[in-house]
Amino acid sequence: MRAGGLLATGVTVTAAASGPARASSSAAALPLLTWHAALANRRYAPAVVAVLGSSSSEGVGASGYGRGYVSVLAENLRAAFPVAGAPGGANYVAAWGTPHWWPVTGGGTRVNTAGWGLKAVDLAGPEESLTYTFTGTSVQVWHDGSPEIVVDGGTVVVRGPGRIHGFATFDGDEEKGIQVFNGGHGGRTSGDFADRPAAWAPRLRSIRPHLVILQLGINDWRSGVSAAEMKRNLMTIIATVRANTTTDPSFVIYGTPRVGADHRIQDHSRFTGAWREIAAEDTGGPGGASGVAYFDLAARQLSPSSDNGHGLYCEDLVHMTDRGAAFTADALASFLTP
């Protein structure tokens, strides 16, 4: 173990969905230039995706681990752009999560204001521990303090005292291939991330993303935050990412369809407009043009609040089923393909 943060321990151990024009169209490709260039270099260095989002990114609604859209997107990208010897690991699993199937077991005090994805667990002492079982060639434990860390084959056990952010695992993709770091957290709004940059932004220096997906804003809409405030928050998040990494990443604003059954909620079209405006008005990309692409999921499917006949959403009409998560991951993989 290396004191102060990371443990790196060796362990012996697609057809694209149909829809509107892909990001490879001339109007949308340039904002994704950094991502496309990193993808082209994946045989020699990792092409890295970072996701900040709410419950859909975390995987709420899916029936099990690995079935949320972020996990399936990683699978899709690796299948479409394989690298010999680098099948790819889970890359990041937070110390706790909302879904009942979360793959980290054990106990401690859950923290909502620290760590990548604004999630961590405080372990008071050796009587409190976390256990994570993984498949791969190495594991990193992201933490503060001086916890005891024991790796036995594909199982890592962490005992306090310390604050545990989560586990990053790799399967041949330490130095090449495609890495995806999921920072999804159920219930989070754009303001949660915009207001707490010190909690998550420093991790960008080690993640070094080439693409940042922002699946944020739908909880703002549902909770009464204005579209204008949501727009300011997302622009703050983009500026924070740029200030905390040297990779000059591409960004994707993920536009969520109108979800839920309560039609008293504020006008969803204002949020769609604000998401589009962020992409159109950004000047931090290649040659002073936009470095932000807009992914409009609503243009590829019906709103579940009006028609869920294809079973893409759960009974709450908010969270995606396994099918819906896979549908979204297919659409995103198509959108991100050069």
Side-chain angles (χ1 to χ4, degrees):
M1 181 180 69
R2 191 166 61 213
L6 298 181
L7 171 73
T9 302
V11 180
T12 303
V13 201
T14 301
S18 61
R22 298 192 327 191
S24 56
S25 66
S26 59
L30 198 57
L32 295 174
L33 178 59
T34 295
W35 163 244
H36 290 163
L39 194 60
N41 196 50
R42 67 191 181 279
R43 299 169 184 84
Y44 317 110
V48 183
V49 181
V51 180
L52 293 176
S54 56
S55 56
S56 291
S57 295
E58 189 180 29
V60 176
S63 65
Y65 176 61
R67 296 193 173 193
Y69 88 84
V70 176
S71 296
V72 180
L73 174 62
E75 179 182 314
N76 285 352
L77 291 174
R78 289 163 177 165
F81 303 99
V83 175
N91 290 145
Y92 188 69
V93 175
W96 66 273
T98 303
H100 65 86
W101 42 255
W102 203 255
V104 180
T105 60
T109 301
R110 292 183 174 184
V111 178
N112 284 281
T113 56
W116 181 247
L118 299 178
K119 290 192 289 186
V121 170
D122 284 345
L123 302 178
E127 71 282 357
E128 295 184 336
S129 67
L130 296 174
T131 299
Y132 176 56
T133 299
F134 66 97
T135 299
T137 52
S138 66
V139 59
Q140 297 175 349
V141 179
W142 293 3
H143 66 84
D144 300 320
S146 301
E148 176 191 359
I149 301 171
V150 177
V151 178
D152 184 5
T155 300
V156 55
V157 179
V158 185
R159 297 186 182 279
R163 172 168 288 179
I164 314 305
H165 297 187
F167 304 85
T169 62
F170 304 87
D171 193 3
D173 56 328
E174 291 89 344
E175 303 295 335
K176 59 183 179 180
I178 295 173
Q179 299 176 354
V180 181
F181 293 89
N182 189 351
H185 187 163
R188 298 306 92 182
T189 65
S190 62
D192 289 319
F193 286 94
D195 295 343
R196 297 180 177 88
W200 57 270
R203 181 53 63 183
L204 291 163
R205 298 183 185 116
S206 59
I207 293 175
R208 294 184 54 77
H210 302 103
L211 172 67
V212 179
I213 299 174
L214 300 177
Q215 184 265 314
L216 291 167
I218 195 65
N219 285 336
D220 300 62
W221 168 69
R222 297 178 68 207
S223 61
V225 176
S226 71
E229 182 176 351
M230 183 272 295
K231 178 181 176 180
R232 288 192 297 270
N233 289 337
L234 286 177
M235 292 173 68
T236 295
I237 293 168
I238 290 170
T240 299
V241 171
R242 286 172 169 157
N244 282 273
T245 185
T246 59
T247 52
D248 190 24
S250 304
F251 292 85
V252 166
I253 297 290
Y254 175 127
T256 305
R258 193 188 199 289
V259 297
D262 188 346
H263 292 276
R264 296 170 296 175
I265 295 175
Q266 60 183 315
D267 187 354
H268 184 268
S269 66
R270 294 184 179 178
F271 282 74
T272 299
W275 286 323
R276 290 184 181 275
E277 289 168 4
I278 295 168
E281 297 170 7
D282 183 71
T283 58
S290 178
V292 181
Y294 175 58
F295 171 70
D296 186 3
L297 185 59
R300 297 172 177 258
Q301 62 179 224
L302 296 171
S303 167
S305 60
S306 61
D307 188 335
N308 192 32
H310 290 90
L312 301 179
Y313 289 82
C314 300
E315 290 184 2
D316 63 7
L317 302 180
V318 173
H319 300 106
M320 291 182 286
T321 60
D322 292 357
R323 178 185 293 189
F327 180 100
T328 297
D330 288 352
L332 262 172
S334 173
F335 183 81
L336 296 172
T337 296

